[in-house]
Amino acid sequence: MKRLESVKLIQFFLFEREELVIRDITGVFGRNGSGKSAFLDAVQIAMMGGNSNLMAFNAQADEKTTRSLRAYCLGQYGSSNDQRIRDNATTYITLVWRDTETNEPTSMGVCLSASFDSETHTVLGRYLARGVELAMSDHLETIDGREHPREWRTFRHHLQERSRITSEDPLFEDSRRYITAAMIALRGGGGVPAYEAFTRAFKFALRMRFDKSVD
């Protein structure tokens, strides 16, 4: 079985650098607007390879959400475009999984960029590396005594070097190939991955309310 072990965030929503370690039982608590649902949205962004068409942001909220990938990257916390944490962002969202039988790690995620003077975001890259456990330090570099997100080009190069042991290319140009690779890497048994069924079920699970019948 593959178990989600940690969620690593760089320049995502209100967080400059944050890691959520997942235990057998994990709860996320905080006041409204503190970023609780942002963690869940970060997981789906990483799982769906940054494909906005496959996501349901803040799915448990009753009201229609104004959240977007660009807004998450810039740390937008209000309805106004000026209510943001940063003007430019290089955002990393990395999930680290662990095989409970072999202890082998799998790291997967996306790198995004956004700017206040652009109306949309850019997916710089998608990555999935079996046998590689990415740390927070892999996503950061120190310049003039301050931490900054590592440039995608540098991050990509280091990841490719570390993935040579498996001879698997960890980079994916499109989200469909990335999601299919994730299903293969994380599945518990055999069978052919069903892309459409998985993406539909994932979105349904996000919207499922525990105060209503699952029927």
Side-chain angles (χ1 to χ4, degrees):
M1 182 179 75
K2 307 298 192 302
R3 178 180 175 273
L4 181 60
E5 191 170 81
S6 70
V7 181
K8 296 173 171 61
L9 306 176
I10 304 295
Q11 289 195 343
F12 180 80
F13 195 43
L14 306 180
F15 313 111
E16 283 300 309
R17 64 187 312 274
E18 192 72 32
E19 179 175 14
L20 177 64
V21 178
I22 310 296
R23 308 296 185 188
D24 289 339
I25 299 176
T26 299
V28 179
F29 302 91
R31 65 185 186 278
N32 290 344
S34 61
K36 301 186 300 299
S37 62
F39 275 108
L40 185 59
D41 285 347
V43 171
Q44 67 166 316
I45 291 168
M47 291 297 296
M48 296 296 113
N51 187 334
S52 302
N53 296 325
L54 300 177
M55 299 177 204
F57 289 143
N58 202 17
Q60 291 290 313
D62 293 325
E63 71 276 3
K64 183 177 180 180
T65 184
T66 58
R67 297 183 183 183
S68 66
L69 279 171
R70 176 184 179 274
Y72 267 137
C73 291
L74 298 181
Q76 189 170 330
Y77 54 86
S79 56
S80 170
N81 191 47
D82 294 330
Q83 295 176 296
R84 59 178 182 268
I85 298 296
R86 57 193 73 90
D87 291 338
N88 300 281
T90 299
T91 298
Y92 287 96
I93 305 172
T94 294
L95 310 180
V96 177
W97 301 79
R98 181 80 58 182
D99 190 307
T100 56
E101 295 182 1
T102 66
N103 204 41
E104 181 186 53
T106 296
S107 296
M108 61 180 290
V110 294
C111 179
L112 312 167
S113 69
S115 175
F116 78 97
D117 57 2
S118 177
E119 295 183 356
T120 186
H121 68 283
T122 300
V123 179
L124 297 178
R126 305 171 180 87
Y127 46 92
L128 187 152
R130 287 194 271 196
V132 175
E133 181 178 353
L134 290 173
M136 289 295 287
S137 58
D138 293 314
H139 305 79
L140 298 162
E141 59 185 348
T142 302
I143 301 174
D144 296 330
R146 297 184 60 185
E147 279 188 335
H148 298 269
R150 193 179 295 275
E151 287 188 3
W152 165 246
R153 180 173 56 183
T154 305
F155 176 91
R156 178 183 63 193
H157 173 74
H158 285 301
L159 184 59
Q160 287 176 312
E161 288 294 313
R162 293 179 64 177
S163 298
R164 283 188 174 184
I165 191 171
T166 63
S167 300
E168 296 178 354
D169 187 354
L171 305 176
F172 297 84
E173 290 293 331
D174 65 89
S175 61
R176 187 183 184 101
R177 286 186 60 248
Y178 167 86
I179 294 169
T180 301
M183 287 190 290
I184 293 173
L186 302 178
R187 64 183 173 177
V192 178
Y195 170 85
E196 286 79 9
F198 173 77
T199 53
R200 286 197 305 268
F202 197 97
K203 186 176 289 189
F204 173 81
L206 289 170
R207 290 174 170 157
M208 188 169 62
R209 301 289 290 268
F210 293 101
D211 57 346
K212 297 179 180 179
S213 172
V214 296
D215 295 334

